[in-house]
Amino acid sequence: MTESWVNSAERIGADLHLELSGPGGRRAALIRALREAVRGGRLAPGTRLPPYRSLAADLGVARNTVADAYAELVAEGWLTARQGSGTRVAERAEPLRHAARVPVKAPPRARGPRHDLRQGRPDASAFPRAAWAASYRRALQAAPNEAFGPGDPAGRRELREALTEYLARARGVRTEPDRIVICSGFAHALRLLFGQDGGGVLHGPLGVEAYGLGFHRGLLAAAGVRTVPLPLDEHGARVERLGRERAVLLTPAHQFPTGGPLHAERRSAVIDWARARGGVILEDDYDGEFRYDRKPVGAVQGLDPERVIHIGSVSKSLSPALRLGWMVLPERYVDAVLAAKGEREAWASVPDQLALADFVVSGSYDRHVRRMRQRYRRRRDRLVEALAAHAPHVEVTGIAAGLHAVLRLPPGTERSAVKAAAWQGVALDGLADFRHPQATDTAADTAAYDGLVVGYATPSEHAYGAALEALCAALPPG
Amino acid sequence: MTESWVNSAERIGADLHLELSGPGGRRAALIRALREAVRGGRLAPGTRLPPYRSLAADLGVARNTVADAYAELVAEGWLTARQGSGTRVAERAEPLRHAARVPVKAPPRARGPRHDLRQGRPDASAFPRAAWAASYRRALQAAPNEAFGPGDPAGRRELREALTEYLARARGVRTEPDRIVICSGFAHALRLLFGQDGGGVLHGPLGVEAYGLGFHRGLLAAAGVRTVPLPLDEHGARVERLGRERAVLLTPAHQFPTGGPLHAERRSAVIDWARARGGVILEDDYDGEFRYDRKPVGAVQGLDPERVIHIGSVSKSLSPALRLGWMVLPERYVDAVLAAKGEREAWASVPDQLALADFVVSGSYDRHVRRMRQRYRRRRDRLVEALAAHAPHVEVTGIAAGLHAVLRLPPGTERSAVKAAAWQGVALDGLADFRHPQATDTAADTAAYDGLVVGYATPSEHAYGAALEALCAALPPG
């Protein structure tokens, strides 16, 4: 009987290569070795383990070492010990199933297309690594200890103060640090504002521009918010159509994606609507800093800070990878938004917030925006020149602004142009992809045309020329 | 008539101090000056502005400069221009109301108590600024360009790989990078898992420990999840009471707050329950790295990776300010959790994720945890010694682990002890604050006693001695 135990111990020691190596003492090594043997299935559930002294003798360790190791593994649930039945491998130590799982959400577009002209992205190769790292280091050094404790759902005051000044100067936003709430970006802002199933700070129906991001529409639909499309004409969204909507979401500086600014009269009219109806305007200022032919038109928020929720982020100006944005709120919404944001939830990292505050205050943000403005402006110019040379029948619509342009195509050619682009290795979207499903364009509405939305900011500098060439090759003949 | 315009221009130029200074040209300066005058209410709504040439002459600028400035401000909506009626201040330029607003959500506990012994917080003064900044800088330098583009909702692969290795080594977690989803912390994880109003990946009723964080209970209640309390005895949560619950939330390594580990038999039993009933176990491994008398018991997740969702974060080990956590998921939940997380929403910052990956892989994380383990262990020892010396009738319950301990008080003294502590300037919570409202303790349940929850990790090193003294002075007499 003793022999059989010894045999068993020998088997475990030999066949199973119970190697007592690695960091820590022999006890730790034995625990590790036994655990791995159970994990890997080499010690099957129900297997009886040798008594302490047998395994101890076999491995040349003290009996207590084995006893301790068994006790530990019993405590962890790998082994079971029952009076009179010895120590066994627990029945429930299930091996990890290594399913041949296709990662369903593969890193989105990790292997991107050859020529990436999709909208909405800044040139990722232009992220100002050195300047950002310097701001981060300075911010980390200067931060008070309490910055590493539990934080404020509104975000760091340093950042809200920096944004108050910056947004006033660059975007004509009028606010105070107490009315700013830091968030992770526009989508997070929408979610905080509308909650789920009508439980939000704001409620539908929500007027939206007839053309916009389907991603936003989907997020709103998931939150149970009904969206009502406003047609677009050459003056922007036809806000005079607003009636019983309780809020309206606009891109006043540069309509997304069609590219016009909201006309001054419309800006006034939508404020009037909000005042008369108690409505609220959501101003998506997604690329307000990027105007190339003149100083950007100021934010609508400046006209009436109590009627407009101004939402911005660094996603276009710096990088979407930072997940940093802000909401500038009318006073009456601040508490409700903070309550929706909740304690200790999905906040932006405090060191990143402090780094952005430093980046803004030190002037690095202005310098970076200026540099990118020049770069994107050149790219837009090159796009216009390339079209003039190779496809003069294709017009670039909209103002000289932002990170994208819409190419107006001959009627009926949009779908085939998108396909032809794909053939050329160019990824981009057709204008129809941005159309609200309930939109009812008329001939008077400017957006009722075939078009391509070209994100000219997306490629890196050296890849842009080839992308333009491929794009031109894909355009329909004149 | 011309005179009157000139007068008006003079008045604007003089009384209103239209100073054309600051960055940019004269046009920009004039725009700024006029905008400020309207904003500040110095130019009242409806006021008619002087014609271009008058103001131009008055200010000594070109006529076109004034025309441009007016046009800009009309575009922004500050001014209105109508044929034959000249340029006027718009009616809708509402001044910002500077309400004497009391910030309702003041930075929580910015002005903290004299002695902070609240649970749940690491020593904020011990954040490893230099090592973290070094990891951040290295990560930023080494990151591929695509890291600054749109990201993967699952989180950076570098971090998921580092965590796979680390959690296996330190916590006995068995997983793969594809089953890890990065989140902002435990609360974010709960929100992703339970959604709102039954729309989540998991559903109630949810078994919870009879004592736990009210904050978590509140979050679950807001999500429409019914929680069913499990009584606690000296072996931990009485999981044999689980029946028709669909999930159970446990703190197996160190019950929060009562401080015991889940007994090996209970670990097995809860896995059995999950298998028999198709239930799922949520393992809140909030302080698993901090065990002082021995190696920590491994995670329950290791027993059956398909039945346990293991949730951890750096909130206790590094800082809650980083907002970085992780979910280790059974394979069948991965896609649903990623869908709940959504595109471009409240994700953790990518540079921070890369920094944490570097911090873990470079060994800085282990070093920091080791250092803090020693520090907190000393603090716990000092607490035990102080009680032995000054209040021998007050027992420290639970294992030597974590960032807090529960002091067992004479029956009926908890409320007065919390008050007495407040008088001494000590902030801490009574055990009753953590009790589930539907909990039905019996005499057999260990948690049915008066107690104080002491977060000994919270103060900075130099403040701990005084906090202990003040605590001892507040304890009820023996």
Side-chain angles (χ1 to χ4, degrees), chain A residues 72 92 94 97-98 129 136 143 148 174 176 179 191 267 275 294 303 319 345 349 352, chain B residues 72 76 92 94 97-98 129 132 143 148 174 176 179 191 275 294 303 319 345 349 352:
Chain A
E72 173 71 32
R92 54 202 59 76
E94 189 84 354
R97 271 179 259 144
H98 287 274
R129 300 182 191 217
Y136 194 92
F148 302 102
R174 296 188 291 150
E176 303 170 325
R179 301 193 191 189
R191 188 168 281 223
R267 290 164 66 102
R275 288 184 186 164
R294 49 186 285 188
L303 296 180
S319 166
E345 290 192 53
S349 132
D352 282 342
Chain B
E72 173 70 31
E76 291 185 9
R92 56 199 59 73
E94 188 83 355
R97 271 180 259 145
H98 286 275
R129 300 182 190 215
W132 181 261
F148 302 101
R174 296 188 292 150
E176 304 169 324
R179 301 193 192 188
R191 188 168 282 221
R275 288 183 186 164
R294 49 186 285 188
L303 297 181
S319 166
E345 291 194 50
S349 131
D352 282 342

Side-chain angles (χ1 to χ4, degrees), chain A residues 54 127 203 252 363 366 372 388 392 396 459:
Chain A
S54 314
F127 184 79
H203 302 274
D366 287 86
M372 297 317 291
V396 179

Side-chain angles (χ1 to χ4, degrees), chain B residues 117-129:
Chain B
L117 292 175
R118 282 172 296 193
Q119 53 70 38
R121 302 148 188 223
D123 178 350
S125 74
F127 185 78
R129 300 182 190 215

Side-chain angles (χ1 to χ4, degrees), chain B residues 148-159:
Chain B
F148 302 101
D152 181 347
R156 286 299 295 184
R157 187 156 191 100
E158 293 91 331
L159 177 55

Side-chain angles (χ1 to χ4, degrees), chain A residues 157 160-161 163-165 173-181 301 305-306 327-329 331 334, chain B residues 96-101:
Chain A
R157 188 157 191 98
R160 291 183 283 122
E161 282 172 357
L163 287 172
T164 300
E165 188 278 328
V173 166
R174 296 188 291 150
T175 192
E176 303 170 325
D178 283 345
R179 301 193 191 189
I180 296 184
V181 172
Q301 191 271 357
E306 296 301 334
M327 284 185 270
V328 177
L329 293 164
E331 194 187 341
V334 174
Chain B
L96 182 65
R97 271 180 259 145
H98 286 275
R101 184 170 167 271

Side-chain angles (χ1 to χ4, degrees), chain A residues 342-415:
Chain A
E343 264 188 281
R344 284 174 276 179
E345 290 192 53
W347 301 347
S349 132
V350 165
D352 282 342
Q353 292 182 49
L354 294 171
L356 181 57
D358 180 279
F359 203 71
V360 169
V361 170
S362 67
S364 292
Y365 193 74
D366 287 86
R367 273 189 295 278
H368 179 68
V369 166
R370 220 155 37 229
R371 189 164 70 91
M372 297 317 291
R373 205 183 275 138
Q374 284 164 7
R375 177 178 292 200
Y376 296 151
R377 176 192 197 140
R378 274 199 309 273
R379 290 200 188 176
R380 190 176 188 281
D381 290 347
R382 286 174 67 188
L383 171 65
V384 172
E385 287 158 17
L387 291 176
H390 303 290
H393 56 291
V394 174
E395 182 200 354
V396 179
T397 67
I399 56 177
L403 282 60
H404 75 279
V406 180
L407 312 191
R408 186 174 197 138
L409 299 179
T413 61
E414 180 179 313
R415 289 181 67 89

Side-chain angles (χ1 to χ4, degrees), chain B residues 25-90:
Chain B
R26 317 210 65 172
R27 174 181 162 278
L30 177 57
I31 290 170
R32 216 159 34 229
L34 282 170
R35 199 197 281 123
E36 282 315 307
V38 177
R39 256 186 207 167
R42 291 177 296 153
L43 274 175
T47 305
R48 192 168 176 175
L49 271 82
Y52 309 151
R53 55 176 174 179
S54 315
L55 190 58
D58 193 52
L59 295 169
V61 301
R63 190 172 142 172
N64 268 351
T65 304
V66 177
D68 281 2
Y70 282 14
E72 173 70 31
L73 293 167
V74 166
E76 291 185 9
W78 298 103
L79 306 180
T80 54
R82 206 152 298 176
Q83 202 80 37
S85 139
T87 306
R88 292 176 181 276
V89 176

